[in-house]
Amino acid sequence: MPESDEQPPLSTPSTASTAPVYIHPRREPFEHGLLPIPKLIFSDGAQSLIPIRDKLLSLSSVSTHRANSEAIAEALQISQDHARLVIETIASVLYSDSDPSVTAKPSEIGSVGVNVFDLMLFLYIQSYKRLLPKGHKDSAAVADVWPSTSAFDGFLSALSPLQLVRSNSRRFMPSQADEEAHQLSYLQKHLGNILSLLAELVEGDGEESLVLSMEKLEHLGFLIYFGEKGSERIPLSQNAPFFANSDPEMPAVPVPAAQVHDWLLENIASALTRITERASAKENGSTSASDQDVPMADVSACSVKSSPSPRGPSFIEGISKSSYVRLPNDIKGSSVKVVNCHESVIYILAPLKYATVYGCSDATIVLGAVGKAVRIEHCERVHVIAAAKHICIANCRECVFFLGVNQTPLLVGDNHKLQVAPYNTFYSLLEEHLNQVGIDPTINRWDAPVALGVVDPHDSLSHPAGVSDVQTESASPVDPDQFTNFLIPNWFEGQQSGSTKDNPFPLPAAYLASQQRNHKNLEETKHMLKETDLDESRKREVATALHVCFKDWLYASGNIRQLYCLQGE
């Protein structure tokens, strides 16, 4: 076996051209797989996790190495509910869609459990701190759309200085290249410890050494992959020079962990160099369109609103005072980010794996069907209508969430005055999309949110003292009498039309009764007006009064903008 320093830093897949294929971090665990539960965060990394790994292996099946919720709760000294939350979170960010935890029914996921080695990688990255958002290059340009001061702000200094810092800084998400470099640098620093969690100790020639099998190397697919420009992700073992030519009929011989370590470090260093070179070329204006990282567009009513990334998500950004629709053919890839949109109505009526809504205000956002995870962060006065398997809400205020979710909604960070309600809309392809991404509309946990710590240890911002164990504010249910259906116009006319004719998520009794009362009152009012014997002048007076009331409601609710946008289409 040749030494790793003799290997080329990059591997080329056998079925591709001779162009180099670079290593990348999987963004999903870093964006959707972090839980602010103190007992899951180990400051000394592998030193504490190796004994926990060994205990979990002793409690799990020898053949599958899977740990259920009881074993996880015992080994980590956490509650059964938190253990189940760990399994659900890992399942939402796993690299394999065929893993039993991904395909399990919601009622079975605790007993199905997760692979111990996937769990170890999940626990290790709980020490990761996200890259700090950066200020906008022209803060004056966004002053009129960034979330404005609410009546709640007068209380903030008494509750959380952290929220004051956040509400007074116009923060924007780092670019995809910045985040990728930050994640790669984290993996570069911690790679030795991470490999020690997957390696086995063997004796030979009078000394002990760590070796890594091909099977264990594949678990690193939880964190990294090889691939380029939308191509299929290549299994790590196919790119590893020490496993690439292994006989599929024979078990590959484990290799020294140090050799794997050196090979991965070379690949990470090459990837970081490439990111730096591309950023430099972009600044000099010499980057081709196909090589550019997805920019965060300036807030502008006439700017390009959607931009697909070769590897990452499609961005919908800077939408202001308008309506915006994305249908399945408009979405490139399986992930969407809605960023810095204000006073708008945004429809994403497509099957997705992941969705993120960040830094939006005074908007309504409809997410069609999201099979893995949704994250809503730093939003104010936003209505989100989402059908999803897993949803996390972080650092939001005065928002309402109309949810069709198979798993318990998660509230983290500094939230205030949130409300939740059952899912309240449909479009013709909704049931087809739900089935496509694996969401069961007969299961809806909208009314059982779990609130975790008010401080997010994964945030790089400094935290005020004395609040690390404070639970975040939970969400209250919307009053059934205030619950209304949301009507989505039919944009599928002329395209493939689906069979969904009504909301596929059954409404709870109180909300259904309220809906039926409203419908009955409407019918009675229409009947009364029809039967009332009025002369033409009085009929005109009644029609005018109704028109004025409806117009007042349109302006008060903000729906007047949506009406104008629909008329213009």
Side-chain angles (χ1 to χ4, degrees):
M1 183 71 65
E3 292 301 322
S4 59
D5 58 4
E6 296 176 5
Q7 302 296 335
L10 301 171
S11 299
T12 304
S14 57
T15 58
S17 67
T18 56
V21 177
Y22 289 87
I23 200 167
H24 302 279
R26 284 188 70 243
R27 292 170 176 151
E28 296 86 358
F30 296 103
E31 294 180 3
H32 297 278
L34 303 178
L35 289 174
I37 298 176
K39 286 189 176 181
L40 302 184
I41 300 170
F42 298 89
S43 58
D44 56 359
Q47 186 175 342
S48 293
L49 285 174
I50 287 175
I52 292 172
R53 176 200 65 187
D54 294 342
K55 181 171 184 178
L56 284 166
L57 288 173
S58 71
L59 295 171
S60 64
S61 164
V62 175
S63 59
T64 63
H65 300 313
R66 301 191 72 85
N68 60 23
S69 58
E70 290 183 4
I72 293 172
E74 180 181 340
L76 296 175
Q77 295 296 293
I78 58 177
S79 68
Q80 286 273 2
D81 287 342
H82 280 180
R84 180 187 173 91
L85 182 58
V86 166
I87 297 172
E88 290 177 345
T89 304
I90 293 174
S92 73
V93 297
L94 269 180
Y95 49 97
S96 170
D97 287 342
S98 61
D99 188 88
S101 64
V102 178
T103 58
K105 296 179 180 178
S107 59
E108 300 171 349
I109 195 167
S111 58
V112 167
V114 291
N115 183 281
V116 170
F117 297 100
D118 290 334
L119 174 59
M120 288 299 103
L121 298 182
F122 166 82
L123 290 174
Y124 194 92
I125 66 166
Q126 299 304 310
S127 65
Y128 174 78
K129 289 188 181 295
R130 297 186 187 94
L131 185 61
L132 270 173
K134 53 188 178 182
H136 195 273
K137 63 184 179 183
D138 183 12
S139 59
V142 296
D144 63 331
V145 294
W146 184 252
S148 57
T149 303
S150 70
F152 189 75
D153 280 323
F155 302 72
L156 282 178
S157 58
L159 291 175
S160 170
L162 177 61
Q163 183 66 51
L164 274 177
V165 170
R166 289 177 172 173
S167 65
N168 290 332
S169 61
R170 297 189 177 96
R171 307 184 324 128
F172 285 78
M173 295 178 72
S175 72
Q176 294 288 286
D178 289 341
E179 287 189 335
E180 182 161 320
H182 186 66
Q183 292 160 9
L184 280 174
S185 297
Y186 172 85
L187 294 173
Q188 185 181 48
K189 178 181 177 181
H190 294 275
L191 188 58
N193 283 336
I194 290 171
L195 289 177
S196 72
L197 294 172
L198 303 177
E200 300 173 65
L201 192 64
V202 296
E203 295 184 8
D205 297 329
E207 59 182 29
E208 295 179 333
S209 62
L210 288 173
V211 299
L212 199 70
S213 66
M214 187 169 74
E215 177 194 359
K216 299 293 173 45
L217 177 68
E218 291 294 5
H219 284 285
L220 277 178
F222 187 81
L223 299 175
I224 53 179
Y225 71 96
F226 283 94
E228 207 61 35
K229 292 188 178 180
S231 63
E232 289 187 14
R233 297 182 178 185
I234 304 160
L236 293 180
S237 60
Q238 289 185 23
N239 265 283
F242 26 83
F243 290 132
N245 298 316
S246 298
D247 184 347
E249 301 298 324
M250 295 287 292
V253 177
V255 299
Q259 187 176 353
V260 179
H261 181 260
D262 291 344
W263 173 72
L264 287 172
L265 283 182
E266 289 180 3
N267 277 275
I268 291 173
S270 296
L272 287 169
T273 299
R274 184 192 186 217
I275 291 172
T276 303
E277 290 173 349
R278 291 176 67 189
S280 176
K282 184 178 175 182
E283 289 177 4
N284 296 330
S286 60
T287 313
S288 67
S290 63
D291 287 335
Q292 289 181 16
D293 182 53
V294 177
M296 302 305 293
D298 292 339
V299 176
S300 168
C302 60
S303 64
V304 175
K305 300 302 195 303
S306 181
S307 48
S309 165
R311 294 185 314 274
S314 293
F315 275 83
I316 297 170
E317 53 190 325
I319 307 296
S320 178
K321 300 181 180 179
S322 62
S323 287
Y324 188 70
V325 185
R326 292 285 87 178
L327 300 179
N329 291 338
D330 304 319
I331 301 294
K332 305 299 182 184
S334 58
S335 179
V336 164
K337 289 190 176 182
V338 181
V339 183
N340 300 324
C341 295
H342 312 279
E343 298 184 65
S344 298
V345 183
I346 297 169
Y347 306 85
I348 306 172
L349 310 181
L352 301 165
K353 286 188 176 181
Y354 297 96
T356 299
V357 179
Y358 185 98
C360 298
S361 67
D362 301 290
T364 296
I365 299 166
V366 183
L367 300 174
V370 187
K372 293 284 191 177
V374 175
R375 184 174 179 89
I376 318 290
E377 189 169 12
H378 293 295
C379 291
E380 290 191 3
R381 297 179 300 280
V382 169
H383 285 198
V384 176
I385 304 172
K389 187 168 287 185
H390 180 88
I391 187 166
C392 178
I393 299 161
N395 306 304
C396 293
R397 66 169 71 174
E398 301 172 46
C399 296
V400 186
F401 302 92
F402 298 88
L403 303 177
V405 288
N406 288 171
Q407 297 176 359
T408 300
L410 185 60
L411 307 179
V412 304
D414 201 12
N415 296 297
H416 297 288
K417 293 189 175 180
L418 303 185
Q419 292 181 285
V420 290
Y423 194 75
N424 67 338
T425 193
F426 70 94
Y427 56 95
S428 64
L429 288 173
L430 177 57
E431 286 171 300
E432 180 181 326
H433 292 169
L434 294 176
N435 184 61
Q436 191 172 330
V437 300
I439 296 172
D440 184 352
T442 67
I443 300 171
N444 194 355
R445 304 293 304 282
W446 71 273
D447 57 344
V450 171
L452 297 179
V454 73
V455 168
D456 185 352
H458 308 109
D459 196 317
S460 297
L461 290 174
S462 59
H463 300 299
V467 297
S468 60
D469 294 328
V470 177
Q471 189 180 56
T472 189
E473 186 179 306
S474 191
S476 58
V478 168
D479 187 329
D481 290 335
Q482 303 299 317
F483 178 81
T484 57
N485 287 329
F486 184 84
L487 180 62
I488 297 176
N490 184 10
W491 283 291
F492 292 100
E493 291 180 1
Q495 301 183 32
Q496 179 185 1
S497 184
S499 59
T500 303
K501 306 297 182 185
D502 201 357
N503 182 356
F505 291 89
L507 287 177
Y511 292 87
L512 181 61
S514 175
Q515 189 180 67
Q516 291 170 341
R517 275 197 309 273
N518 291 338
H519 182 72
K520 181 181 178 183
N521 290 340
L522 175 63
E523 292 300 317
E524 289 177 350
T525 302
K526 287 166 63 177
H527 180 74
M528 181 181 65
L529 290 173
K530 185 176 181 180
E531 296 297 321
T532 302
D533 186 16
L534 298 174
D535 58 34
E536 287 302 317
S537 63
R538 297 301 299 273
K539 286 182 178 179
R540 284 195 295 271
E541 289 178 12
V542 172
T544 300
L546 289 173
H547 178 78
V548 169
C549 290
F550 181 59
K551 186 176 179 181
D552 288 344
W553 174 82
L554 283 174
Y555 279 102
S557 65
N559 287 310
I560 188 69
R561 178 173 295 111
Q562 186 179 6
L563 184 61
Y564 286 147
C565 291
L566 292 174
Q567 287 176 338
E569 292 177 352

